[in-house]
Structures are given as structure tokens and as C-alpha cells.
Amino acid sequence: MVTTTAGVMEQRVEGFPRHLLKDPSLLKTENFVGGEFVSGDSGSFAVFNPATNEEIARVSSFGKEETRKAIEAASLSFMSWKKSTPSNRSDVLRKWYEAINENAEDLSAIMTLEQGKPLAEALGEVRYGASYVDWFSGEAVRSSGGYMDLDNRRAMLIRQPVGVCAAITPWNFPVAMITRKAAAAIAAGCTFVVKPAEATPLTALALAELARRAGIPAGVFNVICGSNPKEIGLELSTNPSVKKITFTGSTNVGKILLEQSASTVKRACMELGGLAPLIVLEDADLKKAAVQTVANKTRNGGQTCISANRIFVHKSVADSFVSELEEIMKPMKVGNGVDSGVVVGPLINAAAVEKVKSHVDDAVSKGAEVVLGGKHLTELGENFYAPTILKNVSMDSLFCCEETFGPVLAVIPFENEDEIIERANDTDFGLASYVFTESLSKAMRIGEALESGMVGINSTALSDARAPFGGIKQSGMGTEGGPTGIHEYQNLKYVCFAADS
Ligand code: SIN
């Protein structure tokens, strides 16, 4: 590995509008390993602005060998970090939290330019991502074990860091999906190597620079980027020094990582795909339900795992509900996330647009009606798709079997409330579900019967650092954030003492 020169750095961010940053030194194009920004021997790859498809930077690409060296750096650093005190870990996380918040506007600008979400929303994500660091700064000193009286023996239960943790994170939340894993690992005394998505390395590298400034010791937090995710993923999931693998992304990739990590029996936390049902019962407050539904489907342009893919609405209120949705969605401005007033940005790339188009076309061919949108907005650029409402979507449409990842509301009418749980659960996925009703007993009954890790009752705002985030079935295993998030990075050890009288 060689450290690159400032001249190379300048060339690598030629296309980036640096005037948008208060502190352009946050823009990094080398990977962060052992406390230094370094490049490897595997060339570089381009980062594009999804709003314009312009190249904004070239980032150093790592392959298998460089990944192995990053794991070695994390292993070396684990030898001392595991002995750090909880207060020490809490303090450095607090400094990282403060640094993220102080640089929140720059982080948001970097995120919008490489990911596309509107600036205000990017700022919201930075604050949300920082809240995980805040939360785990507190958890570092709160996490404790236990004690049991076993008659003639005593049991001490202690929590110890699992070791080097490897993470693979997605492009849809370039800050929050890193911080909710990294902060938990660091709080537990683990060291961490993260491979961010190829589309969003710049935000991850800016987080690394802030971690360095915050005094997170060298090798505790490492960021490795690369244009060959399979090669890096294989090394991360098979290297025996890695003791835990954590991934947010598709179910298919999650299965591959689980299979690969089985040979060294790694612990795993998988946040995989979803196909969230959102159920609007006859007695729901339709206005409130519509506000929440649109917020859920336009957050990050519908590109979230907890986005409602199937919107089941009781037949008797379906038309009124669709009118409420239309009233909210129609005025939403679509465009480049840096432009003022824009609330829906581009999708991540042309393939994402193609997928959304194919879902809409499929539903329409099976009888759905387009109430709003239903168009590729080519006049804005290659990656824009109009906020869309479809009604009378049928159960055999692609919306009912594949995650769409776009700003499309697929409204499916239903008549029989007793069948709705079965219809909602008729999927291999189980991440999030939502129910809208004014009846407490229905909310309780349906909320408990839905097969998903998270259920929103009259709310779609599930995401919160203080609450456990995670799915069941093929949506994954383990939970992140909340009171148990740190446990994912700890081994629970039982120490037995003889207690002869
Ligand atoms: C996602 O995984 O797509 C959603 C993340 C969140 O809401 O925290």
C-alpha cells in the first residue's frame, strides 16, 4: 500500500463541486486503514452524481490483498482496544458524534452529490446517523453482565467484545447504516472494517476523517472501498480473523455472505430485503394514514427496506384514501437534490429506474389504474421517476413478490378483514409492517399476528436509534440499535466459581 500525493487527490475530485463544502478536506478518495488514508494496487473507480450522471470523483479500489491488510490492521488494534475502558470508549464515541454534528452540512452535501437524496433529507440522515453514535456512547457505559447464585457455585456473566467485525453497507443510507453498526461495535470494544457501497464511498470516507479527528485510535475504524464487491465480500466473510459479519442489503447477497461465513462460524447480523405490507382498515383516520404512507414511500425516493410495497386498503375507503394520497403527493417537487424545494430526488441509477418501470408496467398490464405519475421523467435526467399512485393493483403483480425501491404507491383493495393477515404474511420477507386503525383491539390483534420484526401502528416512523431495528424470516437476523444492539458485538461469558462454605 502506498500513501497517495495531494496532486493525485486533486485529480480525483475534479468533478466535485467543492464550493458546496465549508471544509473540502473532508473529501477523501483513499481508503482508511490503520488510522491513515491509503491507496492500494487495484486502481480506482468512478463515483457518479445520480442527478446528472456526471463523474464526481475517483476512489481508490481495494481487492483481496488490501482487504486482508485492513483486517490485519483491525486485528492488531483489537489487542489494545479490547482492554480500553467503557468510559474511554464512550468518550471517543461522543467526540465522533460531536464531529459528525459539527460537520453535518458538509456530510449532507457529499451525500446528496453521490446518493441523490435532497439536501434537507440528507441532513436528516446525518442527524439520524449521529444519533446512533450518541446512543452507543451511552450504551458503552451501561452495558453490563450479571450474577447468579447456583447453590454451591456462583455464576458471573460477563460481556466481552467479539473481536474484529466486518460490515458491508448499502448506498441508501450512507451515514446511518455505517454508524449504527460501527458505533455499537466500537462501544463493545470491537474493531471494525466496513466496505461501503460502490455508489457512496465519499460519505463513508468523510466519516472516517471525522473518526480520525475525534481520536478514535488507529485501526479501530477502517473503511475499504472497491469496485469488486464480491472479492472484498469473500475475504471479509472467510478470513478467520473476522469474528462477526454484519450486512445491510439484499436477501440474495445476505445468503451468500452467510454461506461464506459458515466455514469459520462467524456471528452474523443481517438486515435484508423487505416487502412491507401497509394495511388501512375501514375505521382508519384516512388523512393521517395518507400523510404517513406518503412520507414512508417518498423517504429516500422509496429506496428503503422498510418502504411499504403492498398497500392494502379496505374496499369501502379505497377511493377516499387514494384521493388523500394524491392531494399530498401531487405537489411534491422532483429534481436534483441540491435544488431548493426538491423533496424527491433521483433514483440511484438507470437499473433502479428500469426495475420501478417494470413493476408499474406489470401492474398496469394486470388491470391497475395509474392515478398519478407512472412516468420516467427523462426531461429531468436519466434516473428520475415520478411519484406514482396506482390503484386496483392485483395480488399477482410484481409489487406483491419483489421489493420495488421507488416512489410508487401500489394500492390493493381488500374486502375481508379476516383474510388480511394471511395476505400480508404471504411472503418470505418479514422486516416491517404497518396498520392503520382507530380500534385498539384490532391494532393489538393484527400487530401481534403480522410476521415481521417491526410493526408500526398508525405510524410509519419506525427508525430510531433507541429502538431495535431488524427483520425475521428471510429479512434477516439480529437487531441493530436499541437496548440490545450492543449485544450483537459481545460474547456472553459464564464464569463459574466454587462457593464451598
Ligand atoms: C433501510 O434499511 O433501508 C432503512 C433504514 C432505516 O430506516 O434505518
Side-chain angles (χ1 to χ4, degrees):
M1 278 184 215
V2 286
T3 309
T4 55
T5 63
V8 172
M9 167 71 193
E10 287 298 322
Q11 283 166 23
R12 282 185 166 177
V13 289
E14 254 170 18
F16 194 97
R18 290 215 272 174
H19 64 276
L20 292 178
L21 302 184
K22 285 189 216 138
D23 178 0
S25 68
L26 284 177
L27 211 47
K28 299 288 180 194
T29 59
E30 277 86 45
N31 293 337
F32 187 66
V33 175
E36 284 177 37
F37 284 94
V38 293
S39 49
D41 301 322
S42 306
S44 64
F45 64 99
V47 183
F48 296 94
N49 179 345
T52 60
N53 270 346
E54 282 161 4
E55 181 177 314
I56 52 170
R58 292 200 72 82
V59 167
S60 170
S61 188
F62 270 17
K64 180 180 166 163
E65 271 319 303
E66 296 98 332
T67 301
R68 189 172 290 171
K69 285 187 179 142
I71 296 169
E72 277 165 20
S75 300
L76 187 66
S77 145
F78 180 64
M79 301 316 290
S80 48
W81 189 241
K82 69 179 177 186
K83 295 184 193 143
S84 60
T85 64
S87 306
N88 177 215
R89 301 199 286 266
S90 178
D91 287 348
V92 292
L93 284 172
R94 177 131 307 269
K95 290 199 178 94
W96 194 26
Y97 164 71
E98 284 161 4
I100 294 171
N101 271 329
E102 278 157 20
N103 292 276
E105 284 178 9
D106 279 356
L107 281 170
S108 324
I110 295 172
M111 190 192 302
T112 294
L113 285 159
E114 67 177 353
Q115 200 275 347
K117 67 178 73 176
L119 272 177
E121 195 181 341
L123 186 60
E125 190 203 322
V126 173
R127 303 280 185 220
Y128 171 50
S131 75
Y132 281 101
V133 186
D134 179 33
W135 174 255
F136 285 112
S137 163
E139 288 295 273
V141 286
R142 279 195 292 264
S143 175
S144 60
Y147 171 83
M148 291 160 82
D149 186 336
L150 306 177
D151 302 332
N152 62 345
R153 288 153 298 136
R154 303 288 180 265
M156 186 170 75
L157 307 182
I158 55 174
R159 293 191 182 276
Q160 295 181 311
V162 301
V164 175
C165 300
I168 300 178
T169 55
W171 48 263
N172 59 348
F173 290 89
V175 168
M177 296 306 100
I178 292 180
T179 52
R180 82 173 171 202
K181 297 175 192 300
I186 293 169
C190 299
T191 56
F192 194 80
V193 180
V194 56
K195 191 241 166 256
E198 301 87 275
T200 54
L202 299 175
T203 314
L205 293 167
L207 276 180
E209 168 62 6
L210 295 172
R212 191 190 64 74
R213 292 182 195 175
I216 292 185
V220 169
F221 179 68
N222 305 276
V223 180
I224 57 169
C225 306
S227 55
N228 189 342
K230 282 191 185 156
E231 188 180 339
I232 298 179
L234 182 63
E235 184 58 30
L236 291 176
S237 56
T238 54
N239 189 308
S241 299
V242 173
K243 304 299 180 206
K244 157 140 194 160
I245 182 111
T246 170
F247 170 66
T248 296
S250 73
T251 295
N252 284 345
V253 173
K255 286 179 187 174
I256 294 169
L257 291 170
L258 281 173
E259 222 173 291
Q260 289 172 175
S261 58
S263 63
T264 47
V265 195
K266 295 190 197 317
R267 285 186 58 173
C269 179
M270 296 279 143
E271 301 295 352
L272 308 177
L275 198 73
L278 185 150
I279 302 169
V280 181
L281 297 183
E282 213 174 349
D283 66 356
D285 179 327
L286 296 185
K287 223 175 236 326
K288 283 190 194 152
V291 169
Q292 290 289 312
T293 305
V294 174
N296 170 272
K297 286 302 301 184
T298 50
R299 178 179 180 226
N300 198 23
Q303 302 170 108
T304 83
C305 304
I306 54 172
S307 218
N309 229 67
R310 302 167 292 153
I311 301 172
F312 295 112
V313 185
H314 194 273
K315 204 172 167 197
S316 63
V317 294
D319 284 340
S320 316
F321 183 63
V322 165
S323 304
E324 297 286 354
L325 293 175
E326 193 181 1
E327 197 178 315
I328 303 164
M329 214 176 202
K330 203 171 185 171
M332 287 185 150
K333 186 171 168 189
V334 185
N336 187 326
V338 294
D339 293 340
S340 82
V342 165
V343 284
V344 180
L347 297 184
I348 191 70
N349 55 31
V353 175
E354 276 314 307
K355 184 169 194 197
V356 173
K357 269 167 74 179
S358 72
H359 282 202
V360 171
D361 293 349
D362 168 75
V364 169
S365 76
K366 290 171 180 156
E369 289 165 55
V370 179
V371 176
L372 183 73
K375 291 193 283 247
H376 183 182
L377 299 174
T378 45
E379 65 278 17
L380 295 178
E382 206 184 331
N383 301 331
F384 292 89
Y385 197 87
T388 295
I389 303 171
L390 301 178
K391 71 174 185 182
N392 293 326
V393 173
S394 67
M395 279 298 288
D396 62 349
S397 71
L398 288 173
F399 288 104
C400 292
C401 56
E402 266 181 28
E403 204 172 24
T404 308
F405 252 50
V408 182
L409 293 151
V411 175
I412 308 164
F414 72 90
E415 260 178 283
N416 183 348
E417 208 171 287
D418 296 333
E419 277 175 10
I420 199 59
I421 296 170
E422 205 180 313
R423 284 170 80 176
N425 287 342
D426 186 18
T427 165
D428 288 334
F429 298 100
L431 187 58
S433 317
Y434 309 94
V435 186
F436 288 86
T437 175
E438 292 298 292
S439 154
L440 180 60
S441 59
K442 284 182 188 173
M444 290 282 287
R445 181 171 56 83
I446 300 177
E448 286 184 15
L450 286 170
E451 294 171 354
S452 64
M454 298 172 280
V455 181
I457 307 284
N458 294 331
S459 172
T460 57
L462 294 174
S463 309
D464 193 305
R466 297 163 294 186
F469 189 104
I472 58 171
K473 295 163 86 174
Q474 294 190 25
S475 288
M477 55 176 72
T479 52
E480 299 191 308
T484 51
I486 193 167
H487 297 171
E488 295 283 336
Y489 297 89
Q490 293 169 321
N491 291 326
L492 183 63
K493 184 185 277 183
Y494 153 46
V495 186
C496 178
F497 292 85
D500 299 333
S501 52

